[in-house]
Amino acid sequence: MTSAGGTNGPDDMYTPPEYVAPDPSWIRDLVHQNPLALLSTNGERTPHATHVPIIADPLGHTEDPAADLTGTVLLGHLNRANPHWSALTDGQEALVVFTGPHGYVSPHLYGVTPAAPTWNFTSVHLRGRLRRLEQPAETMRVVTATVRAFESRFGFGWRMGTSAEYFRRILPGVGAFRIDVDDVAAMFKLSQEQTPAIRQVVADFFARSDVGTHRSLGTLMALSSESDR
């Protein structure tokens, strides 16, 4: 597990110590707020990668999950027509990548030379064992749980009752799965290598942006600076 200590095993995301999550809650929040994840698994000839909606199972976990999501059960689904679905096998290792706010940092902001451009970003990698959910009732539970989660966070409280028959009709084309998380890695690259003054300038620049993700990045940078004090 790499999220807190800043060390890396051979299969972990490279995370310099200064870029580790200030607190495990940052990892949980990023996953919760950015649920369209990249599911990656090995294929016969090449890796498979598909963007899929992912939620934590609202009904429980393999065990009491750790603060950083180790032990959490993830639920997801994809189109059965996608070749990735037929390549999934029970027990295989899966990597799920969640990406949070990010943005380009121009050296112009630093006001000093020499300097080099960079990209600030936030990301969480969750690894675990995947199991396909073949029963229609299991698939329906994943789909309806996903709708409830996203409507409550991002939607307008839409109720599924009036579309129940439609859901049943499209269900045969949906492939649902679960992943038992056993390893977590996270990286919050927020200009921590710069002086406090430069970090403030970069954070203010993003906070003033018209782009929502940039404003979120500015907020995270300000919170990161506060946690370092």
Side-chain angles (χ1 to χ4, degrees):
M1 201 267 299
T2 65
S3 58
T7 58
N8 299 88
D11 299 321
D12 292 326
M13 173 170 55
Y14 170 64
T15 308
E18 62 268 30
Y19 299 145
V20 299
D23 184 85
S25 64
W26 285 52
I27 297 171
R28 297 195 304 272
D29 289 347
L30 188 148
V31 169
H32 186 75
Q33 295 167 10
N34 303 274
L36 184 64
L38 182 67
L39 171 69
S40 178
T41 60
N42 287 330
E44 244 181 66
R45 289 173 296 178
T46 60
H48 291 276
T50 302
H51 286 91
V52 292
I54 295 281
I55 63 169
D57 188 347
L59 297 186
H61 312 278
T62 52
E63 55 187 28
D64 289 337
D68 67 355
L69 299 179
T70 304
T72 298
V73 175
L74 302 177
L75 300 177
H77 64 281
L78 69 162
N79 193 323
R80 283 178 178 260
N82 186 334
H84 196 171
W85 169 255
S86 59
L88 296 178
T89 58
D90 286 347
Q92 76 179 129
E93 185 175 82
L95 169 65
V96 185
V97 178
F98 297 84
T99 302
H102 59 91
Y104 174 74
V105 182
S106 169
H108 172 79
L109 296 172
Y110 298 161
V112 297
T113 54
T118 191
W119 202 284
N120 280 358
F121 68 92
T122 56
S123 181
V124 171
H125 291 194
L126 303 182
R127 292 181 184 271
R129 296 296 169 180
L130 181 144
R131 181 166 68 84
R132 289 170 36 141
L133 303 176
E134 301 285 3
Q135 297 302 314
E138 292 179 308
T139 302
M140 181 63 84
R141 185 176 83 83
V142 172
V143 171
T144 55
T146 302
V147 171
R148 289 192 191 97
F150 293 168
E151 275 296 319
S152 65
R153 288 184 234 163
F154 313 117
F156 300 93
W158 176 75
R159 296 181 180 276
M160 292 174 279
T162 56
S163 298
E165 183 56 36
Y166 176 68
F167 272 43
R168 282 190 285 271
R169 287 205 311 270
I170 66 175
L171 199 66
V174 178
F177 59 88
R178 63 175 279 168
I179 297 173
D180 299 310
V181 177
D182 55 31
D183 185 76
V184 179
M187 187 163 171
F188 290 80
K189 184 178 179 296
L190 303 169
S191 294
Q192 294 95 324
E193 76 284 359
Q194 298 295 339
T195 65
I198 289 179
R199 288 178 71 180
Q200 187 64 56
V201 169
V202 177
D204 289 345
F205 167 78
F206 283 120
R208 294 191 302 267
S209 173
D210 292 333
V211 181
T213 54
H214 286 179
R215 292 195 301 273
S216 297
L217 182 61
T219 298
L220 285 180
M221 289 188 65
L223 290 173
S224 174
S225 295
E226 290 177 7
S227 70
D228 289 344
R229 291 172 188 162

